[in-house]
Amino acid sequence: MFSQGKVTLIAGPCAIENKDQVMESARAVAEAGIKIFRGGAFKPRTSPYSFQGLGEEGIRLLVDAGKKYRLKTVTEVTEVDVLNAVNEKIDIIQVGARNMDNYSLLKKIGQATSKNKKWVLLKRGFSATIEEFLLAAEYILSSGNPNVVLCERGIRTFETSTRFTLDLNAIPVIKKLSTLPVVVDVSHGTGHADMLIPMSRAAIAAGADGVMIEAHPNPKKALCDGHQSLPTEHLGEWVKECRKIASVLSKPIY
Ligand code: PEP
Ligand code: MN
């Protein structure tokens, strides 16, 4: 699913909201030729009054959509309590930016996945240095799972015109220090749907081994992060643009 030398694409809604939304999103993702489908069931929201996700019901909907459209699935594990349910049913375990330095969670995830060697997509904390990010990955690696994919998702700076500052410098820096694959989450890194295509191109050009975006059939109605979600009708165009840059670098798209 992830390796140096190819570009892995991941798309899907920020949050799983209901059956129709998840099925329609998965259908569009599969139709665009993307193989990995994302969707949050447990949402770590900044405000406790925002939609918190469907929880276990969301996991069931994600699994059904993945089976129906033959997509690999990725979802976030926010706490140890939900780890087993996710580990049994979902293909890739995401650790969110807000949990990058939750070392006990990282250790538990490493231990729980040490047998099945499931991929763990670890997001960079938005105020973490690259060294801290790599050391967080070590918690999983040293617990017995070598399959960690690092996800650059933007850091906090003084700039306010984008949600975060997408640190594409991190890609070549990490490549010097580590052999782990690096994926860039362009949606959280920019906060703007109209930046997804240009910054996906930039991430691939800078050497990313994958790109992740949020996509929604009706972003205006999204319960979470609609402003940074690509309307699913544009997923084909996104894949085409990613493929263009990947082919310049002689990299296949996964
Ligand atoms: C997400 O991927 O929906 C998410 C919450 O991302 P992050 O942890 O990077 O904020
Ligand atoms: Mn989101």
Side-chain angles (χ1 to χ4, degrees):
M1 267 187 281
F2 301 97
S3 72
Q4 319 267 0
K6 66 183 177 198
V7 176
T8 300
L9 302 182
I10 307 171
C14 177
I16 293 159
E17 300 170 10
N18 56 60
K19 187 171 176 192
D20 288 349
Q21 174 251 12
V22 72
M23 286 297 170
E24 175 50 26
S25 303
R27 190 198 58 73
V29 164
E31 199 176 278
I34 299 160
K35 295 190 181 65
I36 307 180
F37 182 53
R38 64 150 286 152
F42 303 96
K43 294 304 301 175
R45 303 303 300 278
T46 303
S47 164
Y49 308 114
S50 300
F51 176 59
Q52 303 285 311
L54 294 182
E56 304 253 348
E57 170 63 7
I59 298 293
R60 274 192 291 278
L61 292 173
L62 181 59
V63 169
D64 289 351
K67 279 202 185 117
K68 178 158 186 200
Y69 292 102
R70 296 165 178 261
L71 296 164
K72 302 274 187 219
T73 49
V74 51
T75 203
E76 179 170 348
V77 164
T78 46
E79 52 185 322
V80 174
D81 288 357
V82 302
L83 173 57
N84 285 342
V86 171
N87 192 23
E88 273 168 26
K89 300 183 186 120
I90 301 290
D91 298 302
I92 303 166
I93 295 176
Q94 177 173 322
V95 181
R98 289 160 190 79
N99 266 320
M100 187 209 85
D101 51 14
N102 184 343
Y103 303 126
S104 61
L105 179 64
L106 298 179
K107 274 194 263 185
K108 291 264 166 47
I109 290 175
Q111 286 155 5
T113 57
S114 63
K115 285 212 177 73
N116 60 20
K117 308 278 193 269
K118 192 159 281 200
W119 280 99
V120 178
L121 186 146
L122 175 65
K123 291 204 162 190
R124 179 182 181 184
F126 37 76
S127 54
T129 64
I130 291 168
E131 189 185 7
E132 288 162 343
F133 187 23
L134 293 174
L135 286 170
E138 287 295 327
Y139 274 94
I140 302 166
L141 301 171
S142 65
S143 304
N145 184 358
N147 290 329
V148 176
V149 50
L150 300 167
C151 181
E152 165 59 44
R153 47 78 73 216
I155 53 174
R156 198 156 263 173
T157 68
F158 54 81
E159 182 55 70
T160 53
S161 53
T162 50
R163 184 176 180 190
F164 292 94
T165 295
L166 186 58
D167 183 16
L168 294 183
N169 286 346
I171 304 166
V173 173
I174 292 170
K175 297 262 165 213
K176 260 192 282 187
L177 301 170
S178 169
T179 54
L180 296 176
V182 184
V183 161
V184 175
D185 173 345
V186 183
S187 283
H188 291 87
T190 63
H192 295 275
D194 61 359
M195 293 181 72
L196 300 179
I197 287 181
M199 295 312 287
S200 296
R201 289 192 296 232
I204 296 167
D209 305 298
V211 188
M212 174 156 87
I213 59 165
E214 291 178 332
H216 194 284
N218 188 353
K220 283 203 177 80
K221 292 248 168 80
L223 296 181
C224 184
D225 287 351
H227 52 90
Q228 62 187 37
S229 299
L230 193 73
T232 46
E233 67 200 63
H234 295 317
L235 280 169
E237 188 191 343
W238 178 66
V239 173
K240 198 172 115 202
E241 292 300 311
C242 290
R243 198 180 291 282
K244 268 191 208 164
I245 307 300
S247 72
V248 171
L249 301 170
S250 306
K251 286 183 173 180
I253 293 277
Y254 175 88

